[in-house]
Amino acid sequence: MSSVPGSDRQPGVIITHPNRDKPVVQATRVMVVVLLLVSAALVAIVTIGGWTVMEGAIPIQIGYIAVYLLFAFYATRWNRGVLPISAALGVLLAIFALVAGPSWFNRDKSGFAQPALNAGLLGLLTLLIVPVQILLVAFTMRGFNQGWNVELERRDPAAGADSGQFAPPHPA
């Protein structure tokens, strides 16, 4: 059965996320969000700059931009589920960029239709996507191992033990 989050919480119980308070975990989250945004920006620049000469890849690139922006939003909200999917998409995008980068440099010769941006610049930006994706994979896997989703329950001292809500644990 599915329920609305928080609706099954007992009164007087405080949910804490101890791993989210650590500076290293917060830095990892910031890096994941920044790398997702940088990846979306690079893909957007390559897509817009090469729009006139691209064939068939435009829907995939627009999809990557939308998904990476959505994942950046969810990563800011501590959603741990987007991390492994971001890593998998990062590996796939790195492979695409590694294969597509040299073709932009080949287009920098006479006889080819020229894109809005210089083909050499688009090739450089496409190859720049590869190290950004490697960093994204590394930081998303680091974030996944940090346990962003760990929750601890503790009793609210303001609720008081006299409210009858909690009985002391039975000794075994």
Side-chain angles (χ1 to χ4, degrees):
M1 282 194 313
S2 176
S3 64
V4 178
S7 64
D8 57 346
R9 290 188 184 157
Q10 298 174 351
V13 174
I14 297 174
I15 305 291
T16 59
H17 299 89
N19 294 343
R20 295 180 186 179
D21 296 333
K22 298 176 184 175
V24 69
V25 176
Q26 292 177 356
T28 301
R29 180 182 69 148
V30 167
M31 282 304 298
V32 167
V33 170
V34 166
L35 288 169
L36 284 167
L37 294 175
V38 167
S39 299
L42 286 172
V43 173
I45 291 169
V46 171
T47 302
I48 294 168
W51 189 277
T52 58
V53 296
M54 287 186 178
E55 297 181 22
I58 293 174
I60 295 171
Q61 289 175 303
I62 291 172
Y64 258 98
I65 294 166
V67 167
Y68 272 16
L69 291 175
L70 183 66
F71 283 1
F73 170 74
Y74 280 121
T76 59
R77 300 187 72 198
W78 293 102
N79 188 324
R80 183 176 172 231
V82 300
L83 298 177
I85 300 169
S86 297
L89 290 176
V91 169
L92 193 60
L93 183 58
I95 293 169
F96 286 154
L98 195 58
V99 170
S103 66
W104 283 113
F105 294 115
N106 292 338
R107 183 171 280 286
D108 206 10
K109 297 177 177 72
S110 63
F112 287 99
Q114 291 303 313
L117 288 178
N118 183 5
L121 176 63
L122 289 174
L124 179 66
L125 292 174
T126 303
L127 290 178
L128 185 61
I129 291 173
V130 176
V132 171
Q133 296 312 296
I134 292 171
L135 287 172
L136 177 64
V137 169
F139 276 99
T140 54
M141 290 296 94
R142 181 179 179 189
F144 189 75
N145 289 329
Q146 289 174 340
W148 292 5
N149 61 329
V150 173
E151 294 180 344
L152 294 178
E153 293 182 0
R154 65 180 177 89
R155 294 185 179 157
D156 186 6
D162 299 333
S163 64
Q165 294 289 335
F166 299 105
H170 187 278

